[in-house]
Amino acid sequence: MAEQRNWLAVVVLIVYALVGIATFSTFINFDNQYTPVQAVRMRENDLLSPSVSPSTASPGKKQTSKPALPTKNTSTSSSSNLTSTEVPLIRIDPSRSNQTHAPLHSAKIDHSTQKHTPLPAITVDPSRRKALAGNKEWKQMQDFPRVKQPWVYNKTAADNFRKELEECCGEDPVVTKKNHPVNSTIQYDAEGKSRLYVSEAVARRFPDENPLKKTYARCSMVGSSGILSGSGCGKAIDSADFVLRCNLAPVAGQFKADVGQRTHLITMNPSMVQNRYKVFRNKTMKERFVRDLSEYGNTRVWMTPFSYKFGTSLSYRVQDVMKEFKLKQQMVFANPNFTGPVNTFWKRRGVRSFRSSTGMFLMTAALRICEEVHLYGFWPWHFDRLGRNLTHHYFDNSKVGWAHNFPHEFRQYQKLHNMGVIHLNTGSCT
Ligand SMILES: *[C@@H]1O[C@H](CO)[C@@H](O)[C@H](O)[C@H]1NC(C)=O
Ligand SMILES: *[C@@H]1O[C@H](CO)[C@@H](O)[C@H](O)[C@H]1NC(C)=O
Ligand SMILES: *[C@@H]1O[C@H](CO)[C@@H](O)[C@H](O)[C@H]1NC(C)=O
Ligand SMILES: *[C@@H]1O[C@H](CO)[C@@H](O)[C@H](O)[C@H]1NC(C)=O
Ligand SMILES: *[C@@H]1O[C@H](CO)[C@@H](O)[C@H](O)[C@H]1NC(C)=O
Ligand SMILES: *[C@@H]1O[C@H](CO)[C@@H](O)[C@H](O)[C@H]1NC(C)=O
Ligand SMILES: *[C@@H]1O[C@H](CO)[C@@H](O)[C@H](O)[C@H]1NC(C)=O
Ligand SMILES: *[C@@H]1O[C@H](CO)[C@@H](O)[C@H](O)[C@H]1NC(C)=O
């Protein structure tokens, strides 16, 4: 009898192990195949070279010191059908562009029941189609639907969705003296049971009140995908009342036409402090950071000190340097009582990954801050719809990570777009 039970236990264990391996390996495969890593990789040449993605670096070719530019040719070429089939974007009224923040409800929101016109057919160059046959990423892209055009904001749907978010993730997106006062504890959201006691010194790092209240009529949320290269979306992005960007993605110079420049909130990954600024080991590194940050004008810098323990002191260091150099930019710390539940929320909705990406967290926060959220530069593949290669980021071609599942996240953006909750822009703006 006991022997039989042992035997049964062994069978059960084996089955569990097999299921576990199967789940794990699909997860890993999926991610390795398709998911870009956060912009930990830098745009500077010295830090760029070791990390060109295998999918785009040809084996024999020596890596050049400059970031690979996309092969996409944006000038109107003779094979005009290739360039004209891209779904056009809705033009945004430039008169609304203003560095000061337009009050909520100032936007003229069109509630008319606009009919959705059928999407134009996409003609992929036959030789390109042949070359891509069997490419897994390309195949996956074909299986994704295209989104409804033109996009129309649906206030009812957006308010319903906000209500859902309020129920799951209603805490302030950032830590304040109010939500985490002196003598309280902070629970890290990505690291098991780690907690932090809020001393008076710690609390001094937090603002009194949540500075990110729902105030803005129209926001641009800018991801870093290579799809932005040559998009000409800079003006459209900058015409919003509030612009959010990820991981110190560059805006000046050559990038301005495609990604704009105005920035009101930009994230910085704690690991960037190590990789790019060498934990500010000397003055040069501090000055480099200050110079990089100056690109963004009067922005807020969003960091996540309370997700992983290693991020706490690194985030504090950044805040201290900002103070030391008397920068006008301000630091905000993501509230783990916001990011934790948000991560769970998207998992429940089918985003199968270790953790939501920065873009996903920020998009969710943007829905709390803005009436209309317009997404640019969110695209999980290294091809556009015409099969033209894209770099990983619009500013570099760093390697693909494993922690996030960008195709799954993209599916959520598509759903929200079709509901009229957010506007997902993946086309050209010109
Ligand atoms: C485009 O990417 C594919 C694989 O992702 C690669 O094999 C091909 O060489 C690239 N083409 C160009 C023109 O860079
Ligand atoms: C893009 O296409 C135009 C017109 O065909 C051509 O003149 C130009 O050289 C191309 N640019 C690149 C970078 O291929
Ligand atoms: C472009 O499409 C038109 C019809 O839509 C067709 O007549 C023409 O041959 C196409 N041109 C190319 C270069 O494919
Ligand atoms: C931009 O903001 C300034 C200062 O608040 C205001 O005087 C100006 O009229 C605004 N411009 C537009 C186009 O809203
Ligand atoms: C807006 O969304 C609501 C709720 O999802 C839906 O009932 C309504 O039909 C939508 N309106 C339009 C114009 O699509
Ligand atoms: C925090 O706790 C310390 C020690 O128990 C106490 O002296 C102090 O008054 C408390 N501060 C606040 C703001 O509650
Ligand atoms: C500062 O640190 C960086 C990175 O280690 C190093 O390359 C640079 O030479 C240092 N600069 C000075 C002035 O010590
Ligand atoms: C934050 O979340 C933790 C659980 O992760 C919970 O124990 C704590 O009470 C929450 N704090 C606040 C201020 O809601």
Side-chain angles (χ1 to χ4, degrees), residues 95 97-98 100:
S95 70
S97 165
N98 205 326
T100 63

Side-chain angles (χ1 to χ4, degrees), residues 204 317-327 329:
R204 269 197 293 276
R317 288 299 298 275
V318 177
Q319 195 182 32
D320 293 343
V321 169
M322 289 170 72
K323 206 167 168 195
E324 184 185 334
F325 284 77
K326 299 190 168 64
L327 302 189
Q329 290 104 333

Side-chain angles (χ1 to χ4, degrees), residues 79-314:
S79 54
S80 60
N81 289 357
L82 289 188
T83 47
S84 62
T85 46
E86 198 69 26
V87 181
L89 288 174
I90 297 170
R91 284 310 214 123
I92 294 171
D93 182 5
S95 70
R96 292 247 303 282
S97 165
N98 205 326
Q99 188 70 37
T100 63
H101 309 129
L104 188 61
H105 307 308
S106 75
K108 285 195 190 74
I109 292 161
D110 183 8
H111 295 291
S112 68
T113 49
Q114 234 172 307
K115 283 271 182 298
H116 286 296
T117 48
L119 296 169
I122 287 180
T123 319
V124 178
D125 187 62
S127 64
R128 191 72 187 127
R129 193 198 297 274
K130 211 170 155 193
L132 287 170
N135 182 300
K136 278 189 186 164
E137 201 179 319
W138 174 250
K139 185 173 177 301
Q140 184 194 46
M141 194 176 122
Q142 309 308 310
D143 294 339
F144 269 61
R146 282 199 293 156
V147 295
K148 282 186 199 165
Q149 301 288 356
W151 178 80
V152 183
Y153 180 66
N154 183 332
K155 185 159 169 51
T156 315
D159 286 348
N160 287 346
F161 189 71
R162 285 197 179 94
K163 217 175 281 166
E164 257 183 81
L165 278 182
E166 185 67 32
E167 278 160 20
C168 82
C169 325
E171 295 290 323
D172 295 334
V174 302
V175 173
T176 66
K177 287 197 183 80
K178 265 200 178 141
N179 58 41
H180 286 97
V182 176
N183 291 348
S184 66
T185 53
I186 292 178
Q187 168 77 59
Y188 287 79
D189 70 297
E191 210 168 281
K193 296 181 171 62
S194 299
R195 299 175 129 233
L196 178 84
Y197 173 71
V198 182
S199 64
E200 279 184 26
V202 169
R204 269 197 293 276
R205 296 180 174 277
F206 308 157
D208 295 332
E209 298 261 354
N210 173 19
L212 301 175
K213 294 236 168 79
K214 190 176 167 195
T215 331
Y216 307 108
R218 186 187 194 106
C219 295
S220 292
M221 169 74 235
V222 188
S224 298
S225 160
I227 195 86
L228 276 176
S229 299
S231 69
C233 285
K235 276 201 184 117
I237 288 170
D238 276 357
S239 72
D241 306 309
F242 194 82
V243 183
L244 306 95
R245 302 179 191 269
C246 296
N247 285 330
L248 296 191
V251 290
Q254 64 177 117
F255 303 114
K256 194 175 173 197
D258 293 331
V259 308
Q261 178 145 35
R262 294 176 65 223
T263 307
H264 301 97
L265 185 70
I266 190 154
T267 70
M268 184 173 170
N269 206 316
S271 57
M272 296 179 88
V273 183
Q274 296 170 314
N275 301 341
R276 187 168 177 179
Y277 302 114
K278 312 293 174 203
V279 202
F280 304 120
R281 67 163 64 130
N282 59 32
K283 195 151 176 269
T284 315
M285 290 293 117
K286 289 181 185 174
E287 283 167 353
R288 183 178 183 182
F289 167 69
V290 172
R291 183 165 24 93
D292 287 352
L293 208 56
S294 69
E295 254 184 47
Y296 307 103
N298 199 359
T299 186
R300 285 204 167 83
V301 180
W302 162 293
M303 292 193 77
T304 50
F306 310 122
S307 291
Y308 300 94
K309 272 177 97 169
F310 90 97
T312 309
S313 61
L314 293 172

Side-chain angles (χ1 to χ4, degrees), residues 353-370:
S353 67
F354 178 66
R355 195 167 161 79
S356 286
S357 70
T358 300
M360 194 84 181
F361 283 124
L362 216 53
M363 187 277 295
T364 315
L367 277 165
R368 299 270 301 271
I369 307 170
C370 326

